[in-house]
């Protein structure tokens, strides 16, 4: 019996030991698994990562009924534009691309998000114009970057290559890569190359590029200014304008991972069941330097802008002096609207303190300090980093290699005894004291990327990490682009980039105008805004009745001014066609006759019968007296602009109930009294 007991005990010990080995193996496997993902930012995973130092408060639902006049005034469709519908299909004779083309066009595109998107639409039109086979464009911002994921290369890093090729089968023949013999010729630099000027005319390609294409069967185009074809084409090329719309709004889809994450962010934004405003500041260092707006900032930011402006002047990118009166530029409407100014406009128009505002843009020059006043007026200011996790963003980037840290890990130890001996053995006296030993730079000693300003007159070259960051910015702006296009309200702070060309916000406005013309997009006249703000500078955050009415009239007017304004500017070839794709890419559900819309756009094509766009009558019925009896204290001027109105009860002026009702009626009817 004793032997059997010992045998049973040994058997149990064996099972315990085996279980222990299995647990140890499982523990080691888990550690390896976590270590693998830690290299890609898994350790930085957080449920909510925010760019801001505050925590936004998003409540469940809006307190304003959707049927109320106030809700329709703030979030409702723009009734003057309800007849416009997207219609980019060919309207005349338009043949399929020839199976035998004249040759191949290989394109290298350099620049940021908006420049790439503009250029892709232009090169497709050029390929159609020359009857050439287009090779999927190469995006230099990704291929020139180091350490990015090998899973996505060049065009496919940002866009869906399959969708791009299949959507253009009836327009242009598109292939993924050059044939093998031409690849070798390109490596040996035997392919004719053209550095295309900004907004070249169709005749440039017909007279200069086409003869070379016929001779060599291949040409290479290098585009680095954000557009290689002029915005306004001659009347005989009208179908090419619609081709641009088909490329930008139908063929160019972001890759699957980008669209999935953008859909998640949109779902999280709309989960409280409330509409939201998308705001693009447009405050990049290049744009501020180009337009001479350095004095809008202080301290090191002013110096950084001036340094960039000096660099632009030396390279003859701009004409003018280094010192510019920024205040005069601002009053002239040449500078971006600051976040504080945009917040004041929105509060004066009637948007409440708890409105959700999504801040877009890969870079907001001035950072958190510039955005703080906007948060003071709106509690729910969020951005892409607040609505996504670092784990989700790392999945978007793909598997990237680790970059070597360029900074030393340990401080250099200074031997003071040897220093004293060197001093004693130095040259003849008297002599000045020796300079202090050079101190190595460490990341924690430099307050941001601008740390070089205090020690050098030359901006350092981009590090490998910064090159990778430039590629990441393309993905950030792709997400922001989707969120801004789908927003209930969009307002830009600026519509020009650092070269004087249309920027990210301009493309968003064009896409919204094409996709849903009735969606609210404010483009306030910056010159008039500056004048209004100067009038009340001494009591900026205490609303005056007359002043609030002026702001509301300006904002309401901007809903239609964005149609007529760009049309006039486009004649000077300073506008991207994608920023203003109407009337070429749209149609009207009924005859506009002598309406305000026809005066702004000119001739608008009547929608075909198969579109079945509706009854074709504008809804301009007057609201009932019961609806107009609603009095909104938030939209009136009886509150301060900052903070929760429940905690602020100072009154700067009184607005009568009748005045508010008349104002709401005026907004709903789209006219001015």
């Amino acid at each position: 019996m004793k032997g059997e007991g010992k045998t049973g005990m040994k058997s149990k010990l064996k099972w315990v030991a085996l279980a222990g080995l299995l647990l140890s193996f499982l523990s080691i496997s888990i550690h390896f698994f976590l270590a693998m993902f830690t290299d890609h930012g898994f350790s930085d995973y957080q449920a909510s990562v925010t760019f801001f130092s505050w925590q936004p408060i998003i409540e469940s639902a809006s307190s304003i009924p959707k049927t109320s006049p106030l809700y329709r005034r703030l979030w409702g469709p723009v009734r003057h534009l309800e007849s416009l519908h997207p219609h980019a299909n060919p309207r005349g004779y338009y043949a399929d691309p020839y199976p035998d083309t004249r040759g191949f066009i290989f394109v290298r595109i350099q620049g940021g998000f908006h420049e790439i998107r503009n250029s892709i639409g232009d090169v497709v039109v050029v390929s159609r114009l020359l009857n050439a086979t287009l090779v999927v464009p190469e995006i230099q911002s990704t291929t020139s970057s180091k350490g990015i994921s090998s899973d996505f290369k060049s065009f496919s890093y940002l866009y869906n290559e399959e969708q791009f090729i299949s959507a253009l089968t009836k327009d242009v023949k598109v292939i993924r890569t050059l044939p093998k013999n031409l690849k070798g010729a390109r490596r040996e630099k035997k392919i004719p190359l053209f550095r295309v000027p900004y907004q070249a005319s169709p005749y440039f390609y017909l007279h200069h590029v086409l003869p070379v294409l016929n001779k060599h069967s291949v040409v290479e185009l290098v585009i680095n200014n954000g557009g290689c074809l002029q915005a306004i084409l001659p009347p005989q090329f009208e179908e090419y304008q619609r081709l641009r719309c088909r490329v930008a709004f139908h063929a160019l889809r972001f890759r699957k991972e980008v669209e999935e994450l953008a859909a998640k962010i949109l779902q999280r934004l709309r989960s409280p069941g409330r509409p939201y405003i998308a705001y693009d500041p447009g405050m990049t260092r290049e744009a501020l330097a180009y337009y001479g707006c350095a004095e809008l900032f202080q301290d090191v930011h002013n110096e950084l802008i001036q340094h960039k402006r000096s660099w632009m002047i030396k390279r003859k990118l701009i004409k003018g002096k280094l010192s510019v009166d920024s205040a005069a530029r601002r009053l002239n409407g040449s500078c971006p609207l600051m976040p504080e100014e945009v917040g004041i406009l929105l509060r004066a128009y009637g948007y409440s303190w708890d409105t959700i505002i999504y801040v877009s843009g890969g870079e907001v020059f001035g950072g958190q300090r510039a955005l703080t006043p906007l948060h003071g007026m709106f509690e729910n200011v969020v951005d892409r980093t607040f609505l996504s996790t670092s784990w989700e963003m790392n999945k978007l980037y793909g598997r990237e290699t680790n970059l070597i840290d360029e900074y030393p890990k340990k401080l250099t130890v200074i031997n003071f005894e040897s220093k004293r001996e060197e001093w004693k053995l130095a040259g003849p006296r008297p002599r000045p004291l020796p300079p202090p030993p050079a101190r190595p730079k460490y990341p924690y000693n430099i307050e941001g990327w601008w740390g070089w300003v205090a020690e050098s007159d030359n901006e350092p070259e981009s590090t490998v990490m910064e090159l990778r960051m430039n590629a990441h910015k393309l993905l950030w702006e792709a997400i922001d682009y989707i969120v801004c296009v789908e927003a209930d309200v969009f307002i830009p702070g600026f519509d020009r980039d650092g070269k004087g060309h249309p920027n990210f916000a301009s493309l968003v406005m064009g896409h919204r105008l094409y996709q849903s013309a009735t969606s609210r997009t404010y483009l306030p006249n910056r010159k008039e805004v500056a004048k209004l703000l100067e009038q009340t500078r001494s009591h900026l955050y205490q609303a005056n009745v007359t002043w609030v009415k002026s702001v509301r009239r300006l904002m309401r007017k901007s809903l239609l001014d964005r149609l007529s304004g760009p049309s006039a500017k486009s004649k000077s070839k300073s506008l991207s066609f994608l920023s203003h794709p109407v009337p070429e890419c749209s149609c009207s559900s009924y005859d506009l006759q002598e309406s305000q819309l026809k005066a702004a756009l000119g001739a608008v094509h009547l929608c075909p019968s198969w579109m079945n766009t509706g009854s074709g009558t504008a809804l301009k019925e007057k609201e009932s007296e019961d609806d107009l009896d609603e009095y909104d204290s938030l939209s009136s001027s009886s509150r301060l602009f900052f903070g929760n109105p429940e905690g602020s009860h100072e009154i700067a002026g009184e607005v009568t109930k009748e005045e508010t009702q008349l104002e709401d009626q005026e907004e709903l009817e789209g006219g001015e009294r």
Side-chain angles (χ1 to χ4, degrees), residues 176-195:
R176 286 183 173 81
T177 58
L178 284 169
K180 289 185 179 180
N181 61 325
L182 295 179
K183 280 184 179 179
R186 180 176 175 265
R187 282 194 294 267
E188 296 174 4
K189 298 183 178 180
K190 294 181 179 179
I191 291 180
L193 184 145
F194 289 88
R195 296 192 178 275

Side-chain angles (χ1 to χ4, degrees), residues 478-502:
I479 292 172
D480 289 343
Y481 186 86
I482 295 174
V483 176
C484 290
V485 168
E486 297 296 330
D488 300 275
V489 173
F490 178 71
I491 181 168
F494 204 47
D495 58 349
R496 288 290 181 267
D497 65 5
K499 298 177 182 177
H501 304 157

